[in-house]
């Protein structure tokens, strides 16, 4: 794993960018709702401090050339079965896209409907990166909470979202950026992630929007 050289504290006893974990830890340990993260580069740490979203005009190819994996994630819900599904398409430079899907029926998660699938899709993408020693990930999502919860802009207060936020923190060795895309607007891999989420629930692909 790439060594973290900078630790950005956006909410803590003292905010700023620190060069060691020991410095960072003093300002966040025991501090309620602390917001902090380790980064490989100073630019990433500064972007976190500024809460700057990824530039909208950067293409997937540009991110891939910078060593990022790009993951399109989506969720779906089957109201009859009270089950949720997730789908993710992960792009890596010079490699074929990886497609992930799955489903579940945990009652607490099912109460959040397709949001549960959205969270699990992002988690699946992050887990894939960890398993494949990928240190930088851009998650493209159409549900705002995926980025907002992770960055602390929204407070997680349900089991689904709190476990999602905990998962993000457990994988702080991966530098993760978030970018919202418009749902069902013809974005190729976002539409495919939606299709995968539906397929995970046994919904025929023919019933999905074409892409």
């Amino acid at each position: 794993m790439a060594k973290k050289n900078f630790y950005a504290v956006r909410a803590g006893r003292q905010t700023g960018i620190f060069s060691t974990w020991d410095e960072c830890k003093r300002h966040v340990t025991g501090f309620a709702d602390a917001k902090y993260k380790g980064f490989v580069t100073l630019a990433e740490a500064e972007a976190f401090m500024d809460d700057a979203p990824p530039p909208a005009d950067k293409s997937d190819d540009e991110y891939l050339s910078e060593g990022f994996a790009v993951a399109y994630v989506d969720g779906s819900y089957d109201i009859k079965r009270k089950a949720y599904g997730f789908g993710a398409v992960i792009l890596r430079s010079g490699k074929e896209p990886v497609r992930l899907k799955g489903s579940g029926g945990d009652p607490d998660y099912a109460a959040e409907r397709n949001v549960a699938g959205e969270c699990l899709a992002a988690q699946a993408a992050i887990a894939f990166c960890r398993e494949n020693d990928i240190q930088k990930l851009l998650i493209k999502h159409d549900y705002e909470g995926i980025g907002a919860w992770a960055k602390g802009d929204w407070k997680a207060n349900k089991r689904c979202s709190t476990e999602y936020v905990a998962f993000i923190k457990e994988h702080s060795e991966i530098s993760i950026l978030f970018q919202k895309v418009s749902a069902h607007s013809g974005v190729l891999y976002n539409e495919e992630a939606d299709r995968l989420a539906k397929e995970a629930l046994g919904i025929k692909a023919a019933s999905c929007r074409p892409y």
Side-chain angles (χ1 to χ4, degrees), residues 11-53:
R13 294 185 184 86
Q14 181 178 330
T15 60
I17 298 174
F18 305 93
S19 58
T20 69
W21 166 240
D22 285 340
E23 288 179 284
C24 173
K25 184 166 62 175
R26 286 200 299 270
H27 303 304
V28 300
T29 302
F31 186 89
D33 296 323
K35 296 181 179 63
Y36 61 95
K37 193 172 182 182
F39 296 93
V40 175
T41 69
L42 178 60
E44 291 170 320
E46 289 174 339
F48 177 79
M49 292 300 293
D50 294 338
D51 197 18

Side-chain angles (χ1 to χ4, degrees), residues 74-76 85-87 101-102 192-201:
D74 210 346
S76 188
F86 73 82
K101 63 182 178 180
E192 184 167 4
D194 175 68
R195 177 179 63 81
L196 289 167
K198 288 180 168 62
E199 284 185 354
L201 291 170

Side-chain angles (χ1 to χ4, degrees), residues 171-190:
H171 294 76
S172 61
E173 76 278 7
I174 302 173
S175 295
I176 307 173
L177 299 178
F178 297 86
Q179 189 177 87
K180 190 178 184 306
V181 299
S182 298
H184 308 304
S185 58
V187 177
L188 174 62
Y189 291 117
N190 185 61

Side-chain angles (χ1 to χ4, degrees), residues 37-79:
K37 193 172 182 182
F39 296 93
V40 175
T41 69
L42 178 60
E44 291 170 320
E46 289 174 339
F48 177 79
M49 292 300 293
D50 294 338
D51 197 18
D57 57 350
K58 283 180 74 170
S59 68
D60 288 352
D61 286 341
E62 288 177 287
Y63 278 106
L64 295 172
S65 71
E66 293 171 8
F68 280 85
V70 177
Y72 287 81
V73 301
D74 210 346
S76 188
Y77 182 69
D78 184 336
I79 192 169

